[in-house]
């Protein structure tokens, strides 16, 4: 099994490079700015038809994710694309060598998610989502649409199907002195690339772990 902590932190707690698929869309633009503000190392964006441009005059934009991966060596991508384009974008990312794909779009056709999950297994990759708020290691990396303020670094894990409850419960934990070593929103769509039980297996052996909070959704 891939070590999600190693993907996010690297072996020396380096800032791992992250690609944004759909970086020039309204949603992608807003949350890319917030991720950069948090300190996430956004190294490239992908928008077909806008290759050669730069996001915020600094982040290069590529036509394809293969170009972005080949140039940057990134293994992580976050996807801000409409649900109808999800399958093609996910295939492109996984075929290009992405090992951690954070899928933000919601209401993705179930068959498209199932095909993506199967391809991820073949490629030994992790898909978080669809319909996820993202993943973060507080103080190090935020890949998603979650607000930053509820989260503080510590030795607790929070795994959640609900995005809003992920924020609310993490905020209460933080205020009570229980920071988080990682938080994962598995996503609210009917089928997800990573189930709660899968996420549990990913994090249960984290050194110094104090506890795991698992949150469902009504």
């Amino acid at each position: 099994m891939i070590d999600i902590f190693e993907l996010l932190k690297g072996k020396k707690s380096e800032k791992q490079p992250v690609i944004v698929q759909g970086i020039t869309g309204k949603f992608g633009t807003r949350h890319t700015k917030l991720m950069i503000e948090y300190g996430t190392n956004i190294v490239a964006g992908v928008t077909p038809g806008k290759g050669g441009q730069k996001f915020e005059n600094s982040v290069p934009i590529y036509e394809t994710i293969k170009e972005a991966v080949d140039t940057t060596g990134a293994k992580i991508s976050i996807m801000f694309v409409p649900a109808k384009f999800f399958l093609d974008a996910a295939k492109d990312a996984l075929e290009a060598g992405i090992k951690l794909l954070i899928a933000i779009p919601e209401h993705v056709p179930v068959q498209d998610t199932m095909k993506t999950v199967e391809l991820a297994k073949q490629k030994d990759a992790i898909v978080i989502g669809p319909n996820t708020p993202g993943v973060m290691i507080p103080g190090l990396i935020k890949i998603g649409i979650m607000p930053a303020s509820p989260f503080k670094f510590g030795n607790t894990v929070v795994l959640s199907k609900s995005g809003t409850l992920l924020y609310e419960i993490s905020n209460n934990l933080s205020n009570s002195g229980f920071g988080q070593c990682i938080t994962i929103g598995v996503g609210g769509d009917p089928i997800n690339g990573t189930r709660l039980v899968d996420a549990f297996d990913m994090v249960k052996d984290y050194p110094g772990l104090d506890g795991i909070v698992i949150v469902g959704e009504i």
Side-chain angles (χ1 to χ4, degrees):
M1 180 182 292
I2 298 175
D3 187 335
I4 192 169
F5 288 101
E6 186 171 314
L7 277 172
L8 292 169
K9 293 167 62 174
K11 293 182 179 179
K12 298 179 181 178
S13 292
E14 306 148 340
K15 288 190 175 291
Q16 295 301 293
V18 177
I19 296 169
V20 180
Q21 294 173 261
I23 194 170
T24 57
K26 183 178 179 182
F27 205 48
T29 292
R30 179 170 40 144
H31 286 289
T32 299
K33 289 178 181 177
L34 291 171
M35 287 187 286
I36 291 172
E37 283 178 19
Y38 193 78
T40 302
N41 184 21
I42 305 294
V43 295
V46 178
T47 301
K50 296 192 177 180
Q53 299 181 25
K54 288 197 172 181
F55 177 82
E56 295 286 289
N57 297 315
S58 61
V59 179
I61 300 173
Y62 296 90
E63 287 288 319
T64 68
I65 192 162
K66 186 177 188 309
E67 286 181 83
V69 169
D70 288 347
T71 303
T72 65
K75 299 294 183 186
I76 303 171
S77 178
I78 180 169
M79 182 192 297
F80 294 99
V81 300
K84 63 183 178 180
F85 300 133
F86 168 81
L87 179 58
D88 286 342
K91 278 183 177 178
D92 288 346
L94 295 169
E95 294 284 0
I98 290 297
K99 293 299 180 184
L100 176 59
L101 180 62
I102 311 298
I104 301 298
E106 60 182 343
H107 306 312
V108 172
V110 169
Q111 284 195 23
D112 290 357
T113 303
M114 292 172 68
K115 290 174 183 175
T116 299
V117 170
E118 185 58 36
L119 181 59
K121 288 178 182 176
Q122 294 172 18
K123 297 293 183 180
D124 194 25
I126 297 171
V127 176
I128 306 292
N131 194 11
T132 175
V135 175
M136 77 182 299
I137 293 177
L140 178 68
I141 188 168
K142 176 171 93 87
I143 312 173
I145 61 175
M146 68 281 280
S149 58
F151 305 94
K152 300 289 184 292
F153 185 75
N155 289 311
T156 302
V157 168
V158 183
L159 310 174
S160 180
K161 195 161 178 63
S162 163
T164 303
L165 289 178
L166 174 67
Y167 317 151
E168 294 290 343
I169 288 172
S170 295
N171 186 61
N172 286 328
L173 287 168
S174 297
N175 289 338
S176 300
F178 297 98
Q180 304 88 43
C181 54
I182 192 170
T183 67
I184 301 174
V186 299
D189 269 20
I191 293 180
N192 297 114
T194 299
R195 304 167 299 168
L196 283 169
V197 67
D198 301 323
F200 179 86
D201 284 338
M202 289 177 191
V203 302
K204 62 183 173 58
D205 296 322
Y206 181 81
L209 183 65
D210 288 337
I212 301 177
V213 179
I214 299 175
V215 187
E217 187 172 52
I218 297 173

